[in-house]
Amino acid sequence: MATTQTQSVPTLEPEDPQLAQIVEEIRAFMVELIERHRITNDQWSAAIAYLSELGERKEFHALSDVMRLSVPVDRITHEDQEAFTPSNVEGPFFLPDAPTQESPAKICPDDAPGQHVVLRGKVRTADGTGLGGSVIDIWQTDAEGLYDIELHQSMSLEPGEMAYRARVRTDADGSFEIHTVKPKAYTVPTDGPLGVFLRKIGRHPWRPAHYHFRIEAEGRPPLTTMLYMADDPWLSVDVIDSIKERLLVDTSSGVVDYDFVLAD
Ligand SMILES: [Fe+2]
């Protein structure tokens, strides 16, 4: 007769207790969903294959955005900051090494199609003190809704050459002036797994037109945000649900005055 040996199973303390709790909550919720919707092996295999392809195409960032998860995370990260310019999500089109320009800067060709716009204002504190030497990363689409990474052929850009984006250094009092064009609404990528997902669940892929900004000033946390065109028809149905009233601007006069107020 075989003897039974009792062996104590070592218990591991999680290195990250919050993550361990979140994983368990996700698991329990997924089991509930699997049972409620009677998910089969075939459906589960298709979901795993889909997520694998999404990773290969580097579309997880965009999925987080269109699942409308990036915006609540950003809101939690920046709560209690009413005195400052509202933050917003970075999106997938930021490039860290855009060309640096002094203010006044021009980030589009002289003959760029579309409405030409001057963005001007100050990077400052809540009490009005200018933050001289701040750097404003700006990136946007052209007037047809295309980013430079999509414009390489039509603009005859050299490999690595950029357009409609720059790192603009403000004046000594924090003032800036950026000459550019009004951007246009565009769709998140629809030619890969993200597009498949949106079609499957019946969601449109449109983002209202916007300028992106990432602003760095010494001794302050950087501000990442967007400014939206107040007349854009897609504002109320933004696919990533990121619109904030205080980030709407009117370009109809060709000049937009906007101060960026950085947190302490
Ligand atoms: Fe964008």
Side-chain angles (χ1 to χ4, degrees), residues 93 114-115 139-147 150-151 181-190 204-212 226-240 242-243 251:
F93 297 107
Q115 184 200 347
W139 66 105
Q140 65 168 101
T141 70
D142 70 352
E144 291 304 316
L146 296 170
Y147 281 97
E150 302 158 300
L151 288 166
V181 295
K182 183 182 182 182
K184 192 177 180 184
Y186 66 86
T187 68
V188 295
T190 56
H204 75 73
W206 284 91
R207 297 233 47 231
H210 52 272
Y211 298 104
H212 289 276
M226 295 186 244
L227 292 180
Y228 299 91
M229 314 306 109
D231 61 352
D232 194 288
W234 295 100
L235 279 181
S236 62
V237 288
D238 177 19
V239 66
I240 73 168
S242 69
I243 306 305
T251 59

Side-chain angles (χ1 to χ4, degrees), residues 50 66-67 188-190 193-206 239:
Y50 173 81
V66 304
M67 281 291 287
V188 295
T190 56
L194 191 72
V196 172
F197 171 74
L198 290 172
R199 286 189 290 277
K200 289 263 189 201
I201 64 169
R203 291 255 312 275
H204 75 73
W206 284 91
V239 66

Side-chain angles (χ1 to χ4, degrees), residues 1-6:
M1 195 175 171
T3 54
T4 310
Q5 266 190 339
T6 45

Side-chain angles (χ1 to χ4, degrees), residues 78 84-88 90 94 119 121-125 130-139 166-170 174-176 178 211-227 247 258-263:
H78 296 102
F84 314 115
T85 298
S87 66
N88 215 315
E90 183 176 284
F94 173 69
L119 308 174
K122 224 176 198 188
V123 178
R124 61 174 176 83
T125 65
L131 294 165
S134 308
V135 175
I136 302 173
D137 249 299
I138 176 172
W139 66 105
R167 286 170 60 78
V168 179
R169 195 178 305 280
T170 65
S175 299
F176 67 88
I178 301 170
Y211 298 104
H212 289 276
F213 299 92
R214 188 177 191 282
I215 299 169
E216 294 172 358
E218 208 178 314
R220 295 187 175 252
L223 168 69
T224 300
T225 195
M226 295 186 244
L227 292 180
L247 297 176
Y258 196 92
D259 285 0
F260 293 101
V261 183
L262 267 57

